[in-house]
Amino acid sequence: MSSLADPEIGALDGLVDLERYPLDRPGSEMWSELVEAGRRDLAEHGSMCLTQFLKPDALTNTAAEIAAIATHIPILEQMSSVYARDAIEADLDSDDPRRVRMARSAGHVTRDMIPPYSPAHRLYVSACFKVFIAALVGEERVFEYADPLAGLVATVLPPGGSYPWHYDTNEYVVTLMLQPAEEGGVFEYHQNLRSPGDENLAGLGRVLARDPAEPARRISVAAGDLQLFLGRYSLHQVTEVAGTLDRHVLVLSYADRPGVIGPADRTRAVYGRVTEAHLVADQARLAENDGLIL
């Protein structure tokens, strides 16, 4: 019988290589060293990676499960700006870089499609995994999304697909590579291109104009690798996929408070649909934020 996702237990045996990454022993010397090394990487590079994080069997099972679900999702062919917020962008000047449209060809296996017995779901809700992530990002606690679609998502890029320049709505995101592209599909980013209260439109314009003075950093990850990336202030993209295989990446997002649900317009733009929860949350959403487009 398969184990179910359970935030009260959240055991990671059989999923994570606990010999290399002792997430089940928080506060131990090895756990603390792992956290400190991750924090240094995040401070210096805005990203950290744990290679071969998943056990081989867990990787095989998770990749196969997501690949099977992915056969049921549409690949959306869209033109989108960095922010994917049409209602906001309509009032901007025509030469504003926030209005630049880029091709996006991607699909998403959303959380409501991933069963509770999935290794992916078990990892996402695991108490000790959330304690580890909170320690890495310097939070007392992190929370699962209340969003019915987001929080736990697999991004699918088919051959010819890409995910153009964008910012994340949350401070950081955790990803697990399940199936790399045969060619292309490279993760690129510009660390801290914007900051709270400052969109740095001049810098954004240079990146979108492919100014050689603004070279992007590149990250290569293998199947089973875990990456934590600070994406709210760092512009990032995935380059066009080539070859015969889809690129499948599991995305695990957490919030600093319970009850987080994404904006309906951005959710519709990214996933092609919304739920009643998104519509209700939009009606009640407070206007307070850090001065940046969500």
Side-chain angles (χ1 to χ4, degrees):
M1 179 180 295
S2 299
S3 299
L4 296 176
D6 187 343
E8 289 188 309
I9 301 174
L12 295 175
D13 53 294
L15 293 180
V16 175
D17 184 345
L18 297 175
E19 293 300 316
R20 297 181 66 190
Y21 306 117
L23 272 60
D24 57 339
R25 302 192 296 277
S28 67
E29 181 178 357
M30 191 173 176
W31 183 91
S32 298
E33 290 174 352
L34 188 62
V35 169
E36 287 305 313
R39 285 177 173 173
R40 287 195 298 271
D41 284 346
L42 289 173
E44 183 175 354
H45 306 295
S47 176
M48 60 155 287
C49 182
L50 301 180
T51 60
Q52 299 179 344
F53 182 76
L54 288 185
K55 284 193 166 183
D57 285 349
L59 171 60
T60 298
N61 293 338
T62 307
E65 189 169 72
I66 294 300
I69 301 171
T71 62
H72 300 285
I73 66 168
I75 299 299
L76 301 180
E77 306 280 351
Q78 299 171 311
M79 296 297 293
S80 175
S81 72
V82 164
Y83 304 96
R85 303 295 301 276
D86 289 346
I88 293 174
E89 296 154 18
D91 296 330
L92 300 175
D93 293 339
S94 60
D95 60 350
D96 193 304
R98 290 171 292 183
R99 293 193 65 176
V100 173
R101 314 286 279 184
M102 296 164 284
R104 181 174 69 212
S105 178
H108 294 89
V109 174
T110 50
R111 186 177 183 180
D112 60 342
M113 302 177 72
I114 301 175
Y117 51 78
S118 166
H121 230 140
R122 288 177 55 203
L123 179 64
Y124 181 61
V125 308
S126 168
C128 57
F129 186 68
K130 286 184 281 190
V131 167
F132 178 63
I133 296 302
L136 286 171
V137 299
E139 296 284 352
E140 182 176 343
R141 182 178 179 184
V142 298
F143 298 87
E144 300 165 35
Y145 271 36
D147 195 306
L149 303 183
L152 178 63
V153 171
T155 301
V156 178
L157 296 183
S162 63
Y163 216 105
W165 293 113
H166 65 285
Y167 292 108
D168 293 336
T169 57
N170 46 324
E171 297 278 339
Y172 59 90
V173 67
V174 182
T175 60
L176 267 166
M177 176 61 75
L178 299 180
Q179 181 172 282
E182 287 181 328
E183 300 175 52
V186 177
F187 184 86
E188 298 184 333
Y189 72 105
H190 292 267
Q191 187 176 359
N192 295 330
L193 188 68
R194 69 176 183 176
S195 57
D198 180 12
E199 290 286 352
N200 184 15
L201 297 185
L204 176 62
R206 289 193 295 271
V207 171
L208 298 184
R210 301 182 182 181
D211 187 333
E214 295 282 351
R217 297 187 179 189
R218 309 186 110 203
I219 298 177
S220 296
V221 291
D225 291 356
L226 178 139
Q227 179 187 352
L228 196 156
F229 177 69
L230 304 180
R232 178 155 176 77
Y233 306 111
S234 296
L235 191 71
H236 52 289
Q237 72 166 355
V238 178
T239 63
E240 184 174 328
V241 169
T244 60
L245 292 178
D246 290 353
R247 180 185 189 270
H248 293 170
V249 174
L250 191 67
V251 182
L252 305 93
S253 300
Y254 298 96
D256 61 359
R257 63 193 185 282
V260 170
I261 296 177
D265 60 343
R266 183 181 175 94
T267 300
R268 190 180 296 107
V270 174
Y271 302 128
R273 61 191 177 107
V274 299
T275 68
E276 183 181 47
H278 295 97
L279 302 177
V280 172
D282 263 16
Q283 294 173 356
R285 197 178 307 278
L286 297 177
E288 296 178 4
N289 56 51
D290 58 6
L292 299 177
I293 297 175
L294 294 174

